């Protein structure tokens, strides 16, 4: 061992002890005949003192050290004269009597400080230096703790962690698979799993009863800000259960994590809301419940006043922003610009200010009287000082989505999205199918194995859009942490689903044959869900991007700029794999 | 919930309770007017009784059930008249009053019993049925427990589990990589990790100090009996440590696993032996220490008697099999056949029987007198009743390997390889390099990052074969459970190693550039090791193959016969990946 203590554990109680520390030089400063060195390791920072008068040679050696050199110091713990209350070791320092350089360092490309001067690209290229910074290391520590507590909880509930294969079979349905050529089976490919969905259902057929796995999954998608080609799921499945059982079990898990990792306890059960209600009140299937500002529909109140915009619209919806009647022209223009951004896509914004004196002032005063506006205000439950913001459109769903963006923006501006507040919501009763305008067909909203609600099975043929699924998501603070469903365990119903989703029996067999066969030998009722570990960690860490809680993330082109991957491979390697590269120019 | 109790928990204490169980029909039998059903779930088996007299309709319903149907039964717990002492629920039965069929089953292709009538191929094809069998499920439960205890121990020791990427960079050195074409970077490939070696070293440079990960690794090798293309490692690394620290830490981990999973406690520290000593005494770097039978070298005692075989040999070695002097001609011929098998490769076997009367009888009596043989026996420490078995050859290493096979075979025949006995051994001081006859060059025995022993660095140029490494393996019962090394953390020494291994600076940079660069910014002294989780589980489960402790293993052609993978993919998919398949006929 190169040390007897870490740089984070010495306190006033250790004064007088001779200790050996090892770590990195955080910084050094000369003051008079003294050299002060901050030595850092994973556990903390300790001040080391070299006294020129006492040992000039040693002090000179210390003066030659640069930032990020790795050193070993032997010395005596002493009480500091000017104490640092900000760190746990701030009451002591080490009077050095021996110094060994374990490893020199070039000047790092950015400072290893909580607030580094390194930009994102540089930090990613030198991620091994970036991780030395407290905030990044703390994210990894948090991730470790969360994963550990997930396992502790699920183990306690009788779940078995079963590893499912990474080299599986490609199923073109859904997102794109990453594939892996098989040298031993020329011309054939494995696929990397987008999720272990089929395997976990097979484990239920196998009688495993309660399964989980913290597992890497893969999706070859064009990457958006918060997507990674490889990501980690907390994947779970149970047998002989109903939706209520799954929700309770995993609500317990989330509560366990928050309690043991963050010391946060939730009051009572998590609220629940149907998907339709979520869409109606928040225009989102993952509403941010940290604040209200629910949607108010106004179409009926806007008619007969010859305002062409509202008259032409099929749908008029608004929110009431408390205390915002004092918004300036500039602020209101800013909001109008916001809703007109292509990412939001509204054509314009109508506002009504409920002035302190009780009068109402709006951008549509030309068309609507004070009495009209009063009726609107009543429906909004608005009071003097509030600001009503109204959007309209042809399509209710689209308009709601736009209003959702505006609501979140207002929440942000009003400071209602506090990162230390956690507002969970179970979204239930998802539709089974989702209509795709482009392809003019229904797709499974979750996946083809999701069970319809028993009472809605009657509409499968006549009105598929009306069928609700036994599917549920857990949303928190506007983020979908996870979701799942009760699965179909009946072969006949499963075949019906494939048919409705446009699979020929041959195609269904080709892609899902193993599961279809397995269901012939006694499948128990089962269901489960999966949480995105990256998202759960980001939530508890208060991060805006999942990238910051991943040790070695990839960039938006799917590249690891640190190890420089992907890269070209040998002709010989390609030949062994029976492949040729054909890049179209 | 479809049940109020599991099939494994009811005892005499529950008599009189009304319960609901759900599970599979293990078997049913009619006796008089009664139908007895064994119902099975993950937790056990419970007997259910249907009485024709009491409820003829219900009984008739029960009589229609087949093996592996999934049912739900409501009934009253009653004391059994003829108890079954072999199962925990053997004192009670359920008097059924309600039966629901949850899922029917076709007749399974093999019996779901501890000793199934299914052959290996059939069991693999229907693995989801195979896992319903107790022995297979118990292996998965054991695997879960071991992984959990590994995490509990390492978490307690301050290790952080950090996920390293699965999509990394191909490094052609070593075994073959599986590669993954990148659609977004046409003509380029990721590789799947053979181990997270570089990443864990980068994490040490990053100051993580104590890292571990239970992680899938991949190797595109022609598969032998006990290899899988994907396998799981317990991968670990520590900073500011020496070999002694690593050995103690992970000896502690193995002891923890055995204690908490198997209730086995080891006496004192694990024995250690240098690699050279292992080779000399056992002809193996992973000797089975459950029994003695160490090698005895005889060359000097065999000379001058004109036995052409021994005279021509450079090396003569033997073992003494206690109490085997009574071996028959047929048994001795069997051993001769064994050593002559191509997998062993010896040319013949010499034996000397130490008869009960003190006389010595050998297959080389023509050349050696009783006095000669007496001297041999003395060196063997043999006593009347023992059998000495002797091999010879040109090459000491090859002959030792042959003798190792014979020793293991004798251990097997003599019942000395008890699966309930566990004999660990740290093998230390591995050579740094391994000479490759074919390529006429040295290769790194472990990998290019392994540190030579400080005192042997002087021989790096003059006598590389003599240089010992700070490398260590943990062997148990003849299996290598894991191994590792202290790493080089000095750029100059690392460059020297690359040079000795025949890397040009460009090639080294191309393959290991990231690590080489990282070492410029202050690398701490570090080292670690990796255990094969599959092997650790197999060891504790007493299995002969790792395949039996993997939920969904692949066969010797790398195929998953259950999901039928690998398989062909669409032309469209290939085109998106800028690839063409060229299978040579």
């Amino acid at each position: 061992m190169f040390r007897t203590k870490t740089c984070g554990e010495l306190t006033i109680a250790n004064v007088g002890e001779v200790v050996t520390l090892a770590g990195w030089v955080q910084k050094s400063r000369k003051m008079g005949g003294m050299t002060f060195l901050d030595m850092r390791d994973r556990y903390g920072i300790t001040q080391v003192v070299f006294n020129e008068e006492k040992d000039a040679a040693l002090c000179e050696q210390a003066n030659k050290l640069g930032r990020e050199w790795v050193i070993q110091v032997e010395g005596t713990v002493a009480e500091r004269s000017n104490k640092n209350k900000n760190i746990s070791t701030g009451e002591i320092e080490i009077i050095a009597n021996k110094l060994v350089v374990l490893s020199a360092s070039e000047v790092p490309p950015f400072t290893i400080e909580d607030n580094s001067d390194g930009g994102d690209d540089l930090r990613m290229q030198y991620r091994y230096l970036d991780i030395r910074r407290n905030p990044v290391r703390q994210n990894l520590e948090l991730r470790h703790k969360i994963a550990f507590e997930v396992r502790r909880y699920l183990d306690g509930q009788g779940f078995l962690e079963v590893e499912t294969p990474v080299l599986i079979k490609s199923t073109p349905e859904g997102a794109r698979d990453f594939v892996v050529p098989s040298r031993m089976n020329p011309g054939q490919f494995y696929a990397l799993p987008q999720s272990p969905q089929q395997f976990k259902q097979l484990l239920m057929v196998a009688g495993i009863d309660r399964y989980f796995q913290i597992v890497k999954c893969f999706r070859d998608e064009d990457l958006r800000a918060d997507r990674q080609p490889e990501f980690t799921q907390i994947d779970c499945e149970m047998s002989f259960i109903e939706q209520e059982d799954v929700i309770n079990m995993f609500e317990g898990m989330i509560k366990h994590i928050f309690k043991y990792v963050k010391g946060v306890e939730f009051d009572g059960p998590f609220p629940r809301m149907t998907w339709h209600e979520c869409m109606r009140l928040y225009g989102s299937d993952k509403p941010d419940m940290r604040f209200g500002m629910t949607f108010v529909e106004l179409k009926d109140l806007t008619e007969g006043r010859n305002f062409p915009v509202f008259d032409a619209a099929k749908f008029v919806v608004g929110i009431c922003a408390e205390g915002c009647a004092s918004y300036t022209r500039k602020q209101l223009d800013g909001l109008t610009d916001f809703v007109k951004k292509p990412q939001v896509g509204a054509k314009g914004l109508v506002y009504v200010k409920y002035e302190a004196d009780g009068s109402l002032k709006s951008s549509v005063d030309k068309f609507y009287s004070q009495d009209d506006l009063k009726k609107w205000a009543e429906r909004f439950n608005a009071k003097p000082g509030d600001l009503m913001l109204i959007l309209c459109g042809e399509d209710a769903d689209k308009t709601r989505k736009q209003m959702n963006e505006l609501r979140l923006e207002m929440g942000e501006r009003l400071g209602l999205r506090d990162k230390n507040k956690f507002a969970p919501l179970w979204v239930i009763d998802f539709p089974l199918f989702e209509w795709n305008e482009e392809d003019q067909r229904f797709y499974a909203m979750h996946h083809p194995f999701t069970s319809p609600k028993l009472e809605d099975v009657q509409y499968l043929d006549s009105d598929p859009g009306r069928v609700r699924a036994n599917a549920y998501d857990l949303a928190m603070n506007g983020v979908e942490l996870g979701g799942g469903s009760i699965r179909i365990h009946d072969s006949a119903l499963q075949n019906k689903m494939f048919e409705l989703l446009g699979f020929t029996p041959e195609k269904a067999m080709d892609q899902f044959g193993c599961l279809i066969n397995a269901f012939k030998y006694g499948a128990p009722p089962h269901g489960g869900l999966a949480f995105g570990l990256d998202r759960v960690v980001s939530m508890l860490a208060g991060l805006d991007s999942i990238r910051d809680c991943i040790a070695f993330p990839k960039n938006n082109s799917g590249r690891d700029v640190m190890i420089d991957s992907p890269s070209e491979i040998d002709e010989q390697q390609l030949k062994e794999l029976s492949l040729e590269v054909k890049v179209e120019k």
Side-chain angles (χ1 to χ4, degrees), chain A:
Chain A
M1 206 72 100
F2 283 76
R3 63 186 170 202
T4 59
K5 298 281 176 184
T6 70
C7 297
E9 65 181 300
L10 294 171
T11 65
I12 202 83
N14 302 97
V15 166
E17 287 179 27
V18 175
V19 298
T20 307
L21 301 182
W24 286 261
V25 175
Q26 177 75 25
K27 63 180 175 201
S28 89
R29 57 197 182 286
K30 279 186 73 161
M31 283 174 72
M34 312 281 270
T35 296
F36 294 92
L37 214 74
D38 276 359
M39 230 177 125
R40 187 196 68 234
D41 65 12
R42 183 182 125 197
Y43 310 95
I45 284 182
T46 299
Q47 178 167 292
V48 183
V49 188
F50 298 85
N51 190 329
E52 201 178 337
E53 231 169 75
K54 262 177 65 184
D55 190 336
L58 191 68
C59 197
E60 200 190 319
Q61 211 191 334
N63 288 336
K64 283 184 187 146
L65 300 173
R67 278 198 291 134
E68 301 308 315
W69 286 43
V70 184
I71 57 170
Q72 187 186 33
V73 167
E74 193 191 88
T76 309
V77 183
E79 187 170 358
R80 260 205 230 185
S81 50
N82 69 342
K83 294 182 176 149
N84 179 346
K85 293 255 153 77
N86 297 322
I87 58 173
S88 65
T89 60
E91 296 195 293
I92 58 96
E93 61 193 4
I94 310 293
I95 313 296
N97 63 45
K98 199 177 150 195
L99 167 66
V100 179
V101 172
L102 298 174
S103 190
S105 174
E106 294 184 9
V107 175
F110 50 83
T111 54
I112 311 296
E113 304 277 357
D114 289 7
N115 292 307
S116 172
D117 58 358
D120 256 19
D121 290 350
L122 206 58
R123 285 176 42 219
M124 287 303 144
Q125 194 187 335
Y126 295 90
R127 184 66 162 175
Y128 45 85
L129 299 181
D130 196 31
I131 294 174
R132 288 186 191 165
R133 297 169 53 238
N134 285 323
V136 184
R137 194 202 60 246
Q138 281 160 0
N139 289 341
L140 298 182
E141 287 171 347
L142 183 74
R143 189 181 179 106
H144 162 78
K145 261 192 221 158
I146 290 173
F148 188 76
E149 288 302 333
V150 165
R151 288 190 165 101
R152 200 160 69 90
Y153 175 82
L154 293 174
D155 177 76
Q157 298 287 343
F159 283 77
L160 294 181
E161 184 161 25
V162 180
E163 294 175 60
T164 55
V166 177
L167 298 172
I168 67 163
K169 184 175 169 146
S170 188
T171 52
E173 191 73 0
R176 262 191 217 89
D177 287 324
F178 281 106
V179 296
V180 182
S182 167
R183 182 181 53 86
M184 286 205 281
N185 302 274
Q188 299 194 330
F189 293 79
Y190 303 101
L192 302 181
Q194 296 183 31
S195 94
Q197 184 63 35
Q198 288 195 61
F199 286 97
K200 70 175 172 177
Q201 293 195 242
L202 289 168
L203 284 170
M204 293 306 106
V205 176
I208 287 302
D209 202 284
R210 293 183 169 196
Y211 144 91
F212 85 102
Q213 190 182 187
I214 299 185
V215 61
K216 274 278 174 76
C217 298
F218 307 85
R219 220 175 272 169
D220 186 10
E221 280 180 344
D222 298 316
L223 301 175
R224 289 178 299 181
D226 218 24
R227 286 273 172 96
Q228 286 279 318
E230 50 180 299
F231 53 98
T232 306
Q233 300 266 51
I234 307 168
D235 191 51
C236 310
E237 197 81 4
M238 304 170 75
S239 288
F240 301 117
I241 45 74
E242 283 150 341
Q243 175 168 314
E244 190 63 25
D245 306 307
V246 179
I247 286 182
N248 288 335
M249 178 63 72
F250 293 98
E251 185 168 315
M253 186 184 89
I254 295 293
K255 284 178 172 173
H256 177 97
I257 297 172
F258 272 86
K259 181 175 170 187
Y260 288 98
V261 175
K262 199 136 179 116
V264 170
E265 301 210 34
F266 291 92
D267 292 332
F270 290 174
R272 301 183 192 182
M273 194 178 282
T274 66
W275 180 88
H276 280 99
E277 198 71 352
C278 279
M279 297 313 285
R280 194 174 65 78
L281 293 176
Y282 300 95
S284 166
D285 59 3
K286 41 177 193 278
D288 188 339
M289 303 292 285
R290 282 174 296 186
F291 62 104
M293 239 187 264
T294 49
F295 294 3
V296 171
E297 293 175 18
L298 293 178
K299 176 65 180 167
D300 57 322
L301 296 183
T302 64
E303 282 177 310
R305 297 294 182 275
N306 298 317
F307 178 42
V309 178
F310 281 177
D311 285 355
K314 289 223 175 80
F315 188 72
V316 181
V317 67
I319 53 172
C320 176
E322 230 183 298
C324 294
S326 56
Y327 263 35
T328 62
R329 180 85 234 162
K330 201 178 156 198
Q331 282 174 303
L332 290 167
D333 285 349
L335 289 179
T336 306
D337 290 346
F338 174 83
V339 300
K340 282 173 146 179
K341 283 198 308 183
Q343 302 95 300
V344 181
K347 291 208 178 104
L349 176 69
V350 168
Y351 69 80
V352 183
K353 288 178 170 186
Y354 203 152
E355 305 285 5
D357 62 7
S359 70
L360 290 142
K361 201 174 161 348
S362 82
S363 55
V364 289
D365 281 352
K366 239 203 306 193
F367 304 99
Y368 298 97
S369 67
Q370 286 284 314
D371 272 359
D372 290 335
L373 298 177
K374 206 109 205 169
K375 280 188 192 126
W376 296 11
E378 270 164 30
R379 185 165 292 175
F380 274 110
N381 235 332
K383 46 185 200 321
D386 292 353
L387 172 71
M388 290 156 267
L389 297 167
I390 302 166
L391 296 176
C392 68
E394 267 302 280
D395 183 279
D397 289 350
K398 273 191 196 156
T399 311
R400 285 177 173 135
K401 273 181 193 153
Q402 293 161 359
M403 186 48 92
N404 169 49
E405 297 293 336
L406 179 60
R407 176 179 172 270
L408 294 177
E409 174 68 17
M410 285 308 296
E412 201 65 56
R413 290 186 183 208
L414 294 172
L416 301 173
R417 306 185 73 186
D418 178 359
K419 283 193 171 164
N420 294 308
K421 200 174 153 184
F422 301 96
L425 177 74
W426 285 105
V427 181
I428 57 173
D429 296 358
F430 273 77
L432 186 61
F433 300 104
E434 197 168 28
W435 179 255
N436 185 299
E437 269 306 323
E438 209 170 307
D439 302 355
Q440 287 287 306
R441 54 165 273 207
F442 281 108
Y443 280 94
M445 197 153 187
H446 277 76
H447 51 59
F449 312 112
T450 300
S451 168
K453 284 201 175 289
L454 221 59
E455 60 267 38
D456 289 0
V457 166
Q458 54 182 316
Y459 307 116
L460 271 178
D461 285 302
S462 58
D463 189 2
R466 181 174 173 175
V467 179
R468 291 164 306 160
N470 281 318
Y472 33 81
D473 275 4
L474 180 64
M476 190 179 280
N477 295 6
V479 174
E480 180 202 324
L481 291 185
S485 64
I486 300 300
R487 327 299 182 186
I488 298 168
H489 68 279
D490 175 74
S491 294
L493 185 55
Q494 185 66 67
N495 289 339
K496 175 90 202 163
M497 275 296 288
F498 285 135
E499 188 194 317
L500 287 167
L501 293 169
F503 285 83
T504 61
E506 295 70 34
K507 202 177 145 201
M509 206 59 198
D510 182 49
Q511 287 188 31
F512 309 112
C514 180
L515 197 60
I516 294 171
N517 281 332
F519 278 9
K520 294 177 187 159
Y521 297 100
H526 63 288
L529 83 185
F531 290 96
L533 177 62
D534 306 296
R535 290 197 191 160
V536 172
V537 178
S538 298
M539 179 62 59
L540 274 87
L543 295 172
D544 292 319
S545 159
I546 61 166
R547 196 186 290 183
D548 293 318
C549 70
I550 296 172
F552 300 104
K554 293 185 175 56
N555 72 10
N556 282 350
S557 317
R559 291 202 71 81
D560 181 330
V561 293
M562 183 189 74
I563 55 164
D564 189 25
S565 163
S567 58
E568 279 162 27
I569 60 174
D570 285 356
E571 270 309 311
Q572 179 56 30
Q573 243 176 315
L574 283 170
K575 209 176 150 190
E576 284 183 350
L577 296 170
S578 308
L579 288 180
E580 269 182 22
V581 168
K582 284 270 151 115
V583 180
E584 275 176 34
K585 306 290 168 186

